Amino acid sequence: MNKQKREEIFRRLREDNPTPTTELAYSNPFELLIAVILSAQATDVGVNKATAKLYPVANTPETIYALGVEGLSEYIKTIGLYNSKARNVIETCRMLVELHNSQVPDNREALEALPGVGRKTANVVLNTAFGHAAMAVDTHIFRVSNRTGIAPGKNVLEVERQLMRHVPKEYLVDAHHWLILHGRYVCKARTPQCGSCRIEDLCDYKFKTSN
């Protein structure tokens, strides 16, 4: 795919959605961090239902830590892998209090040192909470990047590097959100909605549908 096509793809995505953001509910970087940790192998809708009950009771490192693993588990037990996630969140809260003055760090190394925080989670927080040009490649973004030809790669790290290299700079901060939303609602895994896709004429996918 050439530079002009990529430029037009992101121009259209921005035209349709000028201020994209995550579908996770949060009001500060800490709430976002916890929501993203909980969202691994879970839906944003499911996480939002749990945090809607949790955050009015505890939404700081100190107050969530005070719940303990068992107390936190009661709020998040509807989410997959909640036991291990509860342990990770409690330990993350302890580290934030003891090492970071209860603040979410805005650098990758410190974020990835927190339990339950891998590269993808760190990228979401850096991008969404702090406005860094970072690309959190999940299954949706991996699929869209390969299927359209925007940034093909054999694994998530390769796709991330290709996106960081090829997405035009003016679109880089918001590109993660546009791509994930496009994959979630239009360029779906089993039944891509090619017939109603804004970028169908620019896409390299060979098996387009009439949906």
Side-chain angles (χ1 to χ4, degrees), residues 83-115:
N83 279 320
S84 61
K85 289 176 181 179
R87 290 192 294 271
N88 284 336
V89 167
I90 293 299
E91 181 62 10
T92 283
C93 289
R94 182 192 67 77
M95 291 176 66
L96 289 175
V97 171
E98 294 181 2
L99 303 177
H100 301 289
N101 197 29
S102 298
Q103 300 298 307
V104 176
D106 66 349
N107 71 83
R108 178 183 304 284
E109 185 178 4
L111 281 168
E112 290 189 19
L114 299 170

Side-chain angles (χ1 to χ4, degrees), residues 112-133:
E112 290 189 19
L114 299 170
V117 178
R119 185 178 183 87
K120 185 174 75 173
T121 297
N123 279 339
V124 173
V125 174
L126 289 170
N127 176 261
T128 306
F130 300 115
H132 292 205

Side-chain angles (χ1 to χ4, degrees), residues 37-48:
I37 292 174
L38 296 177
S39 73
Q41 297 180 44
T43 66
D44 288 0
V45 172
V47 172
N48 289 342

